[in-house]
Amino acid sequence: MHTVELKPLMHGSVECIGIYSPLVFRFNYYFEKAGAKWSQGNKCWYLPCTEKHYEQLARALAGKAVLEVAEFKKYLLEKKLNNHGAASLPQNLPPVQPQNKAVVTKKVKPLQANIAFKLSTENNEALQKFKQQLVLKSYSSSTIKTYTNEFMQFLQTIGKVPAHEFTTARIKDYMQYCFEKLKLSENTLHSKINALKFYYEQVLKKEKFFWEIPRPKKPLLLPKVISKEKIANLINSIENAKHKTIIMLTYACGLRVSEVVSLRIKHIDGERKTIFIEKAKGKKDRVLSLSPNMLIMLREYYKLYHPKDYLFEGQFENKHLAERSIQQVLEKAKRKAGIMQDGSMHMLRHSFATHLLD
């Protein structure tokens, strides 16, 4: 039986339970069932650090895996001894033993998630207005999540100082702190600037507030690309028809992984030999051509799996396949094909564009 290890994790500035497991596809279903999310930066699944979420994970993995909690238990005990606002933290966190029926876990006292974000009244109001403006401007859920996380980290750093009182000079000090002390990358710094720019210019209506704040120069990185021969070896190494169709379609049409999982049956037009991408990045629609071979492959896939709505269905009813599951399919195929180059699903999109230019 596989072992799943729990470790303390700070996701952004939020206290979480990090979930580290072997690459077993079915575990994704159990983690999602427990309410966990995938962290691309930390390369692990995570849950809020609460009693409720720990018990959900324990029930989801009962009889399927053993939870290793030694490191997480040590963290909780040290936190209690240091008295970091968590006097009620548990002295014991029992491991979950494999069972054939639903497990009943011992009661674990609240772990007080999100204790880092005790904002002042003024800054809490600023955060609520910030979120509201993002929603009203119809930003994507991904952008809302990123901007909100960056803004909350800013509010946590400035403490009780009202955010609306910050000047351009003070923002420069904050960005210098992020660069020199936190050692953040250029891309992360750009993300922080975008979030703060939205607050001061879109929420507070301070026009041209960021004109004097320089943006860090991004490094010029070449896209990760693999050869046509390696693409062929990659696809041929996949035996599962569903997985092979996903990888082939991603490469053949140069799709983003988010676009692949969001495809519905209605988006495939067999007569016109086209595929419709609905509200992709930037909320833009586009239509792509399907090669005859790709169309044949899609028809064979449909006969085998009979999807009802989403082209690539997930474990849950009326839900598409998780992006992380597709990433794992690619990683497994790369290992099997002997491809040592780094690169995620987006590498297939870059390879598609490069091979077209060639």
Side-chain angles (χ1 to χ4, degrees):
M1 184 172 289
H2 292 289
T3 299
V4 174
E5 188 174 6
L6 303 186
K7 296 181 181 180
L9 174 71
M10 292 301 291
H11 189 265
S13 295
V14 180
E15 188 180 36
C16 295
I17 303 172
I19 307 169
Y20 299 82
S21 73
L23 290 176
V24 180
F25 294 149
R26 68 176 184 275
F27 278 7
N28 292 347
Y29 167 76
Y30 304 134
F31 296 150
E32 288 178 351
K33 186 177 179 181
K37 295 182 179 179
W38 175 256
S39 170
Q40 184 64 30
N42 295 296
K43 303 295 181 185
C44 71
W45 292 83
Y46 67 95
L47 283 166
C49 192
T50 66
E51 173 193 11
K52 173 187 173 183
H53 289 92
Y54 172 77
E55 291 183 345
Q56 284 178 185
L57 180 64
R59 286 193 294 269
L61 292 177
K64 305 170 185 72
V66 176
L67 285 186
E68 172 56 56
V69 297
E71 186 172 340
F72 187 61
K73 178 181 176 181
K74 179 182 178 182
Y75 165 76
L76 294 177
L77 290 174
E78 288 177 352
K79 186 170 183 179
K80 180 180 179 180
L81 291 173
N82 291 333
N83 195 25
H84 287 171
S88 61
L89 286 171
Q91 297 183 21
N92 261 325
L93 189 63
V96 179
Q97 299 299 331
Q99 300 180 18
N100 294 324
K101 56 184 180 180
V103 69
V104 178
T105 59
K106 294 182 181 179
K107 284 292 181 181
V108 182
K109 295 180 181 179
L111 303 183
Q112 297 187 13
N114 302 340
I115 57 173
F117 285 131
K118 289 187 177 179
L119 304 178
S120 65
T121 302
E122 283 182 295
N123 284 342
N124 188 54
E125 289 177 0
L127 178 61
Q128 300 312 313
K129 290 179 181 178
F130 181 82
K131 290 181 179 178
Q132 184 185 55
Q133 189 75 348
L134 285 168
V135 173
L136 293 177
K137 282 190 165 287
S138 193
Y139 276 56
S140 69
S141 58
S142 175
T143 302
I144 291 175
K145 181 178 178 181
T146 301
Y147 278 25
T148 302
N149 183 53
E150 298 293 3
F151 189 54
M152 284 199 297
Q153 290 184 38
F154 169 69
L155 294 178
Q156 182 196 18
T157 303
I158 66 176
K160 295 182 179 180
V161 180
H164 64 82
E165 293 182 0
F166 259 57
T167 62
T168 301
R170 294 292 287 134
I171 295 293
K172 286 182 179 179
D173 291 340
Y174 173 70
M175 296 308 301
Q176 184 178 359
Y177 162 78
C178 290
F179 181 74
E180 294 181 344
K181 300 296 182 181
L182 301 184
K183 308 293 184 183
L184 299 182
S185 68
E186 290 85 354
N187 287 333
T188 303
L189 293 173
H190 271 267
S191 181
K192 286 187 177 296
I193 289 176
N194 290 339
L196 293 176
K197 187 175 188 293
F198 181 87
Y199 173 68
Y200 286 100
E201 295 188 356
Q202 299 294 325
V203 179
L204 298 184
K205 305 300 180 183
K206 294 185 177 182
E207 295 184 6
K208 304 177 182 179
F209 188 77
F210 270 71
W211 276 31
E212 297 179 16
I213 299 177
R215 286 179 177 267
K217 185 177 181 181
K218 289 185 178 181
L220 182 60
L221 303 176
L222 292 174
K224 294 176 181 177
V225 176
I226 59 176
S227 67
K228 295 177 184 178
E229 293 73 21
K230 287 184 178 179
I231 290 285
N233 292 338
L234 180 74
I235 294 172
N236 291 332
S237 71
I238 304 173
E239 298 177 1
N240 183 284
K242 182 176 182 179
H243 296 165
K244 181 173 287 192
T245 304
I246 290 171
I247 299 300
M248 183 66 183
L249 183 62
T250 304
Y251 170 70
C253 295
L255 301 178
R256 299 179 179 90
V257 66
S258 59
E259 296 169 351
V260 177
V261 298
S262 301
L263 282 175
R264 299 177 186 267
I265 297 172
K266 65 181 182 181
H267 293 152
I268 309 297
D269 190 332
E271 293 183 0
R272 295 177 59 207
K273 296 184 178 61
T274 60
I275 181 171
F276 177 67
I277 308 300
E278 184 179 15
K279 293 182 180 178
K281 189 173 182 179
K283 296 189 176 181
K284 297 176 182 177
D285 294 345
R286 69 181 191 277
V287 177
L288 305 172
S289 298
L290 281 173
S291 69
N293 288 339
M294 191 68 248
L295 190 57
I296 291 172
M297 194 172 189
L298 285 171
R299 284 171 174 163
E300 292 297 323
Y301 162 77
Y302 182 81
K303 291 176 184 177
L304 281 172
Y305 289 89
H306 302 287
K308 297 177 182 178
D309 181 15
Y310 285 105
L311 186 60
F312 302 114
E313 295 176 328
Q315 297 279 2
F316 297 101
E317 188 177 358
N318 300 322
K319 295 287 185 181
H320 59 65
L321 194 64
E323 292 181 19
R324 177 57 187 162
S325 296
I326 297 179
Q327 297 282 11
Q328 287 183 325
V329 167
L330 178 67
E331 289 302 318
K332 184 178 179 181
K334 283 170 61 181
R335 288 196 300 271
K336 193 172 181 181
I339 298 173
M340 306 303 294
Q341 289 175 244
D342 291 333
S344 61
M345 284 290 291
H346 208 69
M347 172 188 64
L348 298 179
R349 177 173 164 84
H350 287 311
S351 299
F352 160 79
T354 303
H355 296 165
L356 277 182
L357 289 173
D358 291 343

